[in-house]
């Protein structure tokens, strides 16, 4: 196996092979080229050992021509009875006979030669010089965010994302209107985090780094780490909980927001769905359908009571305005809860009061030992920082506690 692998790397011309497999070059710089290949972004470089490439989510893993052949063949829909390695080596031998794909002993590299630990994402970020937003000006000299934001080639603010190997795999970008992924960034594989203090007492998770900065400017907490997930999925939550275990902090303080209160609560639910193996959700027909497992009969009884009381209040408030109850309309905005053995089925309408009650009750009854959920009084923490006067030095920890949605 190793002999064949080494032999393949001596013969195949990686840039030509990429194009032969349908890779499209999106951008070429002095030291690298960005390709679109099999629905993903890859970076092509030249090192002292020859051509290499890496997937943007894993810049630390430098791959070779043989890896590209394996990746290509693994996704080819050929005869399933033929073992993978038979297909790979048979196909490689065929490619080796194509003179256009063979790498000659003397060749002129397409880019300048770089070290094998090269990461093109490092070339994007520079120290901020002209900051247009007052929040960035206010945190520019704060050690908490040192090297955790800067300006990109177009002078927009960038925040580095780190994968599970702590390598930069992309950036959040702030165009002063919205926070979004920057270019080919692997948002689904990384998270942003602030500098790590010597003593860690709290772990706060936000929708994006700008929210974290505004939160810090409002409360000025000591010994806290701020994080923002590039995307809420299995990979990023695994990185988060790995950090959680290392810090040995009792609880994760969760504070997702969005362009509305509803968006923030929906993010909470998505996070819980990846946090708990038996918690599944889908959005359909103007509501969120949730399936989870009943773990604690007493806790479920309290959860059931909260849902029942909410629905009763919804019915009573309707009758304050109409003498005849429109049961169909009330049902559409009620919490629908049922149990089948250990499985709980719950329908939550996309309405702010129902979402807030459901999340408040679920985490109060089932997650209170591992999670706290904080919400700003405004839509997001940036508005909270801009529109509410700064807190006094005394009682900051108490003030933060007051933002918990369940006391």
């Amino acid at each position: 196996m190793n002999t064949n692998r080494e032999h393949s790397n001596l013969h195949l011309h990686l840039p030509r092979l990429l194009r032969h497999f349908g890779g499209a070059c999106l951008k070429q710089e002095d030291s690298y080229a960005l390709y679109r290949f099999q629905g993903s972004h890859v970076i092509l470089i030249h090192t002292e050992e020859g051509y290499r490439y890496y997937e943007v989510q894993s810049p630390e893993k430098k791959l070779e021509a043989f890896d590209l052949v394996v990746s290509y063949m693994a996704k080819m829909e050929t005869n399933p009875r033929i073992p993978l390695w038979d297909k790979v080596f048979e196909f490689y031998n065929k490619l080796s006979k194509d003179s256009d794909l063979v790498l000659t002993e003397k060749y002129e590299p397409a880019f300048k030669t770089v070290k094998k630990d090269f990461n093109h994402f490092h070339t994007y970020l520079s120290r901020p010089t002209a900051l247009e937003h007052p929040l960035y000006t206010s945190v520019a000299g704060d050690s908490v965010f040192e090297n955790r934001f800067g300006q990109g080639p177009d002078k927009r603010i960038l925040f580095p994302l780190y994968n599970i190997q702590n390598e930069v795999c992309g950036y959040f970008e702030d165009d002063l209107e919205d926070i979004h992924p920057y270019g080919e960034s692997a948002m689904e594989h990384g998270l942003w985090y602030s500098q790590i203090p010597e003593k860690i007492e709290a772990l706060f998770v936000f929708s994006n780094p700008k929210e974290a900065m505004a939160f810090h400017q409002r409360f000025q907490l000591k010994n806290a780490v701020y994080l923002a997930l590039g995307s809420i999925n299995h990979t990023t939550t695994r990185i988060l909980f790995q950090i959680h275990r290392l810090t040995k902090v009792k609880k994760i303080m969760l504070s997702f927001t969005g362009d509305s209160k509803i968006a923030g609560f929906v993010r909470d639910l998505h996070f819980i769905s990846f946090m708990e193996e038996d918690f599944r959700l889908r959005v359909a027909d103007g509501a969120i359908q949730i399936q989870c497992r009943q773990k604690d009969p007493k806790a479920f009884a309290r959860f059931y009571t909260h849902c029942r009381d909410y629905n009763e209040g919804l019915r009573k408030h309707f009758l304050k305005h109409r003498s005849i109850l429109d049961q169909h309309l009330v049902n559409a905005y009620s919490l629908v809860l049922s149990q089948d053995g250990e499985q709980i089925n719950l329908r939550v309408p996309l309405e702010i009061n129902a979402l807030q009650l459901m999340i408040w009750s679920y985490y109060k009854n089932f997650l209170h030992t591992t999670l706290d959920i904080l919400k700003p009084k405004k839509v997001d923490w940036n508005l909270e920082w801009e529109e509410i006067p700064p807190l006094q030095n005394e009682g900051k920890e108490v003030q933060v506690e007051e933002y918990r949605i369940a006391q």
Side-chain angles (χ1 to χ4, degrees), residues 187-289:
M187 304 300 287
E188 68 277 11
H189 290 270
L191 53 75
W192 171 93
Y193 62 91
S194 63
Q195 290 290 350
I196 308 297
E198 290 185 9
K199 182 182 179 182
I200 302 173
E201 296 178 345
L203 204 62
F204 292 87
V205 184
F206 298 90
S207 298
N208 60 63
K210 191 175 183 180
E211 290 271 275
M213 289 179 170
F215 181 91
H216 178 73
Q217 289 305 93
R218 174 144 177 77
F219 296 102
Q220 291 292 319
L221 298 179
K222 304 294 183 183
N223 302 323
V225 178
Y226 307 111
L227 305 101
L229 307 185
S231 174
I232 302 173
N233 58 35
H234 286 295
T235 301
T236 55
T237 50
R238 184 160 61 98
I239 300 172
L240 172 60
F241 280 100
Q242 179 173 290
I243 294 173
H244 182 229
R245 286 193 298 272
L246 292 173
T247 59
K248 299 180 181 179
V249 174
K250 183 179 179 182
K251 291 184 179 182
I252 291 174
M253 312 296 282
L254 193 67
S255 190
F256 289 133
T257 58
D259 55 5
S260 67
K261 292 284 186 179
I262 287 179
F265 284 118
V266 170
R267 281 179 175 167
D268 294 335
L269 286 175
H270 275 291
F271 179 78
I272 292 171
S273 73
F274 288 104
M275 175 182 172
E276 296 206 300
E277 292 183 1
D278 297 316
F279 191 102
R280 297 184 297 277
L281 64 85
R282 63 184 180 89
V283 179
D285 301 325
I288 298 176
Q289 308 287 343

Side-chain angles (χ1 to χ4, degrees), residues 134-187:
L135 176 61
Y136 299 133
T137 302
S138 69
V139 302
D142 197 324
S143 61
V144 173
F145 303 112
E146 185 178 1
N147 299 323
R148 291 303 187 258
F149 78 108
Q151 286 180 307
D154 52 6
K155 302 303 180 184
R156 291 180 178 176
I157 298 296
L158 299 182
F159 306 90
L161 282 164
Y162 297 87
N163 66 14
I164 198 166
Q165 300 298 328
N166 206 34
E167 283 283 344
V168 177
C169 63
Y171 296 94
F172 284 100
E173 177 187 18
D174 183 8
D175 62 7
L176 298 183
E177 292 184 2
D178 192 18
I179 307 290
H180 50 78
Y182 180 77
E184 69 277 8
S185 298
M187 304 300 287

Side-chain angles (χ1 to χ4, degrees), residues 6-17:
E6 292 168 1
H7 182 66
S8 68
N9 293 331
L10 291 172
H11 281 79
L12 294 182
H13 191 289
L14 187 53
R16 294 176 187 170
L17 189 63

